[in-house]
Structures are given as C-alpha cells and as structure tokens.
Amino acid sequence: MTGIGGAGTSGMVDWNLAVATATRLVRPGPEVTRDEARAVVAELRRHAKAAEEHVRTFTRMIPEGVEPEETPVLVVDRAGWVRANVAGFREVLRPLLDKMQERRGNTPGGAVLGAVGGKVTGVELGMLLSFLSSRVLGQYETFAPASREFPAAPGGGGRLLLVAPNIVHVERELDVDPHDFRLWVCLHEETHRTQFTAVPWLRDHLEGEIQSFLGETEVDPMTVLERLREAAQSLSGGRPEGEEGEGGPSLVELVQTPAQREILSRLTAVMSLLEGHADYVMDGVGPQVVPSVAEIREKFRERRAKGASRLDMALRKLLGLDAKLRQYRDGERFVRAVVEEVGMDGFNRVWTSPNTLPTKAEIAKPADWVARVHRKADS
C-alpha cells in the first residue's frame, strides 16, 4: 500500500495501517446487483447537481450571476470514505500529533514506544473508522488534500462525499421512497457545500479555530491513546459487561484547557449553525421537490433520537457524536427562529464575518443574536 501524504508509518499513528485495518473490517453494504449499484451512483450524481440549484434559490447565499468555486462531488463506498477521511484527519491533526510525538520522544524508551504505539494506534483508529464508515450518509470535506483518487477544489478547497451503500441501507431500513430519500440527503450535503463556497472566509476561520484548539493541547499522549483504546475495545467486545455507558469524558472533552474551552464554545456554536442550517434548508426545499418529505423526516428523526444499541450510544459519547446530534436540533431551532424574525436575507447577515457568527449562548437565545447583529448594523 502506498503512503497517504508521506511516510505512513511515522509518528504517533501508523496511518496506512489504520486504512488497512478499517478496509479489512468494514462491514459489507446492502446487497445490490451491479446494475443497481450503477443506477444508484448515477442518480446520486444527478440529485447532487439538482440540489445545487434548489439550495442556491432557497438560501439566496450566492448572488445571481456569481459562480462560486467548483468543488467535486464524489460517490464512494465505505472503504472509499475511510481513505478520504484518513487523509483529512492526518492533515488537521498533524500539529497535535507532532507535539505528542515530541513529548513522547523525550521520555526514556520513547522512540521504541513511538514505533510500537503508532502501530497499535493505527489498528485502533482503523477499528473506529470501520465503525463510522457504515453510519455516514454524506459529508462535505472542508480540509481535504487533493489526490488522484480524491480530487478537491483548487487551493486546498473541499469536496462532497456521498456514501452510496449507507444511503441505500438507510432508505431500506426506513422503508421510504428511495428516489425521494436520495434527493433529500443531497439537499443537506449540498447546503454544506454552498456554505463553504459562498462564504470564502469560513474555511480559513474554522481551520484557524481548530488549529488554535489543538495548539493549546497539553494532555498526556497516553491519556488520549487510552481513550482511543477504550473505544476500540468497545467495538471488539473487549470492555467488561455493563461498562458500555460508563467511563470518562469524550475524546474532545479530555483535551480542554481554559483557553480551549473558549475555543470549543465558539466551534460548537458555528457547527450548530452549519448543521442546523443544513437541516432547515433540507426541510424548506423538501416540500417542493421531495413528495414524501414529511414521512422521511419523521422516520429519520425517530432513527436519530433512538440511536442503535447501548454500544452505539456509548461510542457516540466517547467520540463526541452525541454533541453532534444536539447541534442538529439546537442549530435548526436557531435558524428557524431568526428567519421567522428577520427573513432569509436578515438571517444571511450571519455569513458577513466571524464577528456575526452566533455565540453558543445566542444559539440557545436567537433573539439575542438578532438584537446584537441587526441593531448594530441598522443603527
């Protein structure tokens, strides 16, 4: 296997081993014939293109006559999702892992521990990626290094991934119209693509916040690796009976200094905005173009709220995924309340600059954001 963006076996994580492990363990997708698979891929590409115009018209984020930067739309399988995400993870986490590697290298036997630990961590990360790869329907990859297999927008821009087997699996599980469901999913993911292509400063702002967060990390490397190990052991049944819902904080919560708590509060607010906006747009466009949207939305809400097994719920907490579910709900309420108060164009002031993004407190109290941004702008 060729290295991903450099020597795959160096540092705290053996990235190539992570990919190999995830690829080996990834669950097979739903049974489809070769012709059915081709048809699904072709339809998802058509829906992604159609969704682009629907989202643009509804959100009014892109002025008429303006063409935003093109970003690729890639329909992938579960193993493809793993390979694409490992490249992005490696890029974003590089500063943190370099710091952890340096700290470990200064301890007795650190070099040997690093070589062995990198392989152990690679296996464990691969186990987690294989778990997640069966749950993601689509994803706008914001920090996506381009490769021959996975092209990205010029200048380090993003790409849109649609995970075909997972979309087919969920549409069958929910027993909904497959054509409607596929377009519904594309509307959500296309909104994310529009957010980043229509708001040029957003990517750099997010990257700066993430790097500031990682730069503040002072946690012991072994503590992070231990939590990663617990998550991997959960997947393999290695944790004692009855402990699935117990344990310490999530991986994100582990690495919080006072400065990080401030950064994390801002990141939580902006992620709530982005996810809630995508849900709002998906529901707003849906009735015009997705005939069975009400049925799909209700069944999907139930699925989100219910989750799966105790194991699934424990892993969500450990990986911080329970916070993501709250972001959908809280962010959608914020967007809906603001649009009802000041209209879509009034809401779109949120994209003016980092200073007009809502705070975490304003996500919970949309009227406070309206008062701050609109009173200041209109005075």
Side-chain angles (χ1 to χ4, degrees):
M1 179 186 294
T2 57
I4 299 172
T9 58
S10 64
M12 298 291 293
V13 181
D14 185 331
W15 296 101
N16 288 339
L17 186 56
V19 171
T21 300
T23 303
R24 185 176 73 251
L25 296 177
V26 72
R27 298 176 183 178
E31 289 189 15
V32 293
T33 66
R34 188 180 297 272
D35 287 344
E36 286 173 331
R38 286 200 193 99
V40 170
V41 170
E43 183 173 23
L44 285 172
R45 286 181 176 145
R46 288 197 305 273
H47 282 334
K49 186 64 179 174
E52 186 177 1
E53 186 58 36
H54 294 316
V55 170
R56 175 185 283 208
T57 300
F58 184 81
T59 65
R60 301 204 289 273
M61 290 179 67
I62 303 173
E64 285 190 27
V66 174
E67 287 301 320
E69 183 181 69
E70 281 291 322
T71 55
V73 177
L74 308 177
V75 181
V76 298
D77 59 12
R78 290 170 176 173
W81 179 88
V82 167
R83 292 193 299 274
N85 273 268
V86 162
F89 288 160
R90 180 170 187 166
E91 197 67 27
V92 171
L93 293 176
R94 188 186 304 274
L96 173 63
L97 295 177
D98 286 349
K99 178 187 286 191
M100 292 169 68
Q101 176 72 11
E102 181 181 355
R103 178 171 294 186
R104 173 177 275 187
N106 292 331
T107 61
V112 174
L113 281 172
V116 175
K119 291 188 178 300
V120 172
T121 308
V123 169
E124 290 166 347
L125 180 60
M127 293 172 70
L128 291 178
L129 286 168
S130 71
F131 169 80
L132 294 171
S133 70
S134 64
R135 283 156 172 76
V136 176
L137 301 182
Q139 171 187 2
Y140 182 78
E141 276 202 295
T142 316
F143 313 109
S147 67
R148 184 179 301 175
E149 183 181 11
F150 301 109
R159 57 182 167 234
L160 182 61
L161 302 180
L162 297 169
V163 191
N166 295 349
I167 293 172
V168 172
H169 171 78
V170 173
E171 71 194 23
R172 290 179 178 178
E173 179 185 297
L174 298 181
D175 190 25
V176 293
D177 182 281
H179 309 294
D180 283 3
F181 185 74
R182 292 166 197 174
L183 177 54
W184 189 73
V185 170
C186 287
L187 289 170
H188 183 100
E189 303 308 333
E190 178 57 40
T191 302
H192 286 317
R193 186 164 70 143
T194 298
Q195 289 163 349
F196 284 93
T197 54
V199 185
W201 54 264
L202 185 57
R203 179 187 183 276
D204 288 344
H205 173 70
L206 264 183
E207 183 175 26
E209 293 279 56
I210 291 169
Q211 292 307 328
S212 295
F213 181 86
L214 296 177
E216 288 286 336
T217 298
E218 295 298 338
V219 73
D220 171 47
M222 293 309 296
T223 306
V224 175
L225 298 182
E226 182 59 33
R227 295 302 287 162
L228 184 62
R229 186 164 297 117
E230 287 184 30
Q233 287 172 348
S234 293
L235 289 175
S236 61
R239 295 182 72 185
E241 184 67 28
E243 288 192 5
E244 291 93 336
E246 301 172 7
S250 72
L251 288 169
V252 169
E253 292 168 327
L254 270 176
V255 288
Q256 287 187 58
T257 64
Q260 282 180 309
R261 280 191 285 274
E262 292 184 18
I263 300 169
L264 189 61
S265 177
R266 296 195 297 269
L267 279 171
T268 299
V270 73
M271 295 311 297
S272 296
L273 171 70
L274 297 178
E275 295 293 359
H277 183 237
D279 264 16
Y280 178 81
V281 172
M282 184 167 60
D283 285 351
V285 175
Q288 284 74 50
V289 298
V290 181
S292 59
V293 66
E295 178 193 2
I296 290 172
R297 187 62 167 139
E298 181 59 30
K299 288 183 175 181
F300 199 76
R301 279 187 196 275
E302 290 177 5
R303 183 179 186 272
R304 250 188 205 166
K306 183 174 61 177
S309 63
R310 287 176 64 202
L311 171 62
D312 197 28
M313 293 173 69
L315 281 164
R316 281 182 182 179
K317 181 183 187 306
L318 185 61
L319 300 173
L321 300 181
D322 53 340
K324 186 176 177 69
L325 296 178
R326 289 194 297 273
Q327 287 167 6
Y328 285 115
R329 182 183 64 244
D330 297 345
E332 196 272 343
R333 278 202 296 254
F334 170 83
V335 175
R336 185 173 302 280
V338 171
V339 171
E340 287 176 357
E341 179 70 21
V342 296
M344 185 63 77
D345 291 332
F347 165 78
N348 281 339
R349 289 189 185 178
V350 80
W351 311 116
T352 305
S353 76
N355 293 329
T356 56
L357 291 172
T359 64
K360 191 175 178 181
E362 287 170 341
I363 288 287
K365 294 185 176 180
D368 289 355
W369 179 88
V370 172
R372 174 173 68 88
V373 172
H374 281 264
R375 184 186 302 133
K376 183 176 181 180
D378 297 338
S379 60

